[in-house]
Amino acid sequence: MTPRFGYTLMTEQAGPKDLVRYAIGAEGAGFDFEVCSDHYFPWLSAQGHAPYAWSVLGAVAHATERVELMTYVTCPTIRYHPAVIAQKAATLQILADGRFTLGLGSGENLNEHVVGMGWPAVADRQDMLAEAIEIIRTLHTGELVDFRGEFFQVDAARVWDLPDQPVPIGVAVAGESGIDTFGPLADHLIAVEPDPDLISAWNAQAATSTIDGKGTRAIGQIPISWGPDRDAAVERAHDQFRWFAGGWDVNADLRTTAGFAAATQYVTPDDVAGNIPCGPDLDQIVEAVKPFWKAGFTDIALVQIGGETQDEFLRDAAPELLERLRAASS
């Protein structure tokens, strides 16, 4: 099984027109798929952007021809009602001619607090996500839906424009309990840690299809800070991506960019460089990505840190990097 390699349209670090241009460049560079973050805030103020992901993806669907597209990830429970997600996903799938996968997760306080509905405990967030997936699946049948659940209500809703095939759903999980809950509800696994136990637990589920890279996929993501000057690449990664050191247990609950800045004030550039490959060495990047395919991930999306570096990365580094990744993983 040869893994596929993707490019991240990171809405936190670029504006909408630039993101569409990067999407075209990533397709030209040879990436297999593109994932898009869906944020209301950047993680840190230094990143400086947060355009509406669904508008960006609609434009990208028309501007590209080959690459598969995916939200990585959308929270369908607080900022968006699941009935609205069902409509958006169906429309985007039509625009993308079947290239879209709906990636879902339980969200972060950073983005969901803005509508004034509070931030539930993790167990409630998980239950809300499961109920939301049920609503989305039901609406994608095209039937008129009335629903009364523990968290959501749907009154006589119908999605009128549906693609020929239901929109596949990937769900972000972080442990075996998440797989127990969401494995039976999802088509694909999403995770940001190269943990082989996640793949094993998923494949052991009687209600899930085996991850094989064809029907069912395991989709991971890793940040990199490529650049011709290693010191500048480290500085950029520290300035814009040191939030990554907090781990998802912390990241999910912080409320503002100021909170992330305070939580990471003692993270040093050396700390960041020890966790994120920085600089011009493409082989170092290959080695950093390798644990994902060794763990059994079928799809791995790269995040190139720094909005101002994307054109240079896609032009000067990405084609050769993809060649090396494919050679090393085949």
Side-chain angles (χ1 to χ4, degrees):
M1 181 177 63
T2 302
R4 305 188 316 156
F5 297 99
Y7 173 80
T8 300
L9 298 165
M10 194 165 185
T11 59
E12 301 94 301
Q13 64 181 16
K17 289 187 175 181
D18 285 337
L19 288 164
V20 176
R21 189 176 80 254
Y22 301 154
I24 297 168
E27 183 175 62
F31 283 97
D32 300 304
F33 66 100
E34 299 179 8
V35 304
C36 184
S37 57
D38 184 357
H39 274 229
Y40 203 92
F41 272 69
W43 297 101
L44 293 165
S45 296
Q47 292 176 313
H49 294 276
Y52 185 53
W54 291 87
S55 297
V56 171
L57 281 168
V60 168
H62 263 228
T64 58
E65 298 177 354
R66 174 188 56 80
V67 286
E68 295 187 16
L69 304 175
M70 183 177 188
T71 47
Y72 201 100
V73 292
T74 283
C75 175
T77 61
I78 300 175
R79 185 166 42 118
Y80 306 131
H81 191 283
V84 176
I85 290 289
Q87 182 190 36
K88 291 194 291 189
T91 298
L92 186 52
Q93 184 69 299
I94 294 169
L95 290 171
D97 294 321
R99 292 181 285 137
F100 176 64
T101 295
L102 177 60
L104 299 176
S106 57
E108 300 95 18
N109 195 6
L110 179 70
N111 306 298
E112 306 309 314
H113 80 269
V114 298
V115 294
M117 298 296 290
W119 184 235
V122 63
D124 287 336
R125 300 199 303 267
Q126 299 280 318
D127 290 343
M128 292 171 74
L129 178 57
E131 191 171 292
I133 294 171
E134 179 183 354
I135 292 168
I136 293 166
R137 294 281 200 197
T138 305
L139 282 166
H140 281 176
T141 66
E143 299 296 323
L144 190 69
V145 175
D146 284 287
F147 182 91
R148 302 292 184 276
E150 182 180 356
F151 302 101
F152 301 108
Q153 178 173 324
V154 179
D155 289 329
R158 177 182 173 187
V159 176
W160 287 85
D161 289 279
L162 288 170
D164 293 335
Q165 300 295 326
V167 179
I169 293 177
V171 179
V173 299
E176 292 189 21
S177 63
I179 290 174
D180 290 341
T181 300
F182 297 110
L185 304 177
D187 300 300
H188 308 297
L189 166 70
I190 298 172
V192 294
E193 296 292 337
D195 184 354
D197 291 339
L198 291 176
I199 310 297
S200 299
W202 178 283
N203 288 340
Q205 277 271 353
T208 60
S209 299
T210 301
I211 290 170
D212 57 8
K214 298 176 183 177
T216 301
R217 299 150 57 190
I219 305 152
Q221 186 184 59
I222 181 172
I224 66 173
S225 184
W226 174 87
D229 183 322
R230 184 179 184 276
D231 290 341
V234 171
E235 181 180 355
R236 183 174 66 249
H238 178 258
D239 181 49
Q240 298 191 24
F241 233 82
R242 65 184 183 275
W243 63 269
F244 199 71
W248 291 104
D249 288 343
V250 174
N251 293 344
D253 287 327
L254 295 178
R255 189 169 180 266
T256 63
T257 54
F260 277 92
T264 58
Q265 62 182 312
Y266 298 114
V267 176
T268 68
D270 286 343
D271 293 332
V272 173
N275 288 283
I276 296 172
C278 298
D281 188 345
L282 298 183
D283 289 331
Q284 182 193 19
I285 297 173
V286 172
E287 286 301 309
V289 177
K290 184 182 293 184
F292 280 94
W293 73 69
K294 289 291 187 181
F297 281 76
T298 63
D299 298 68
I300 307 148
L302 308 181
V303 183
Q304 166 64 8
I305 297 171
E308 74 283 3
T309 70
Q310 302 301 309
D311 289 319
E312 184 181 17
F313 168 73
L314 291 169
R315 182 187 67 240
D316 296 343
E320 184 178 350
L321 175 58
L322 287 168
E323 286 184 10
R324 296 193 189 192
L325 286 167
R326 289 171 179 141
S329 61
S330 62

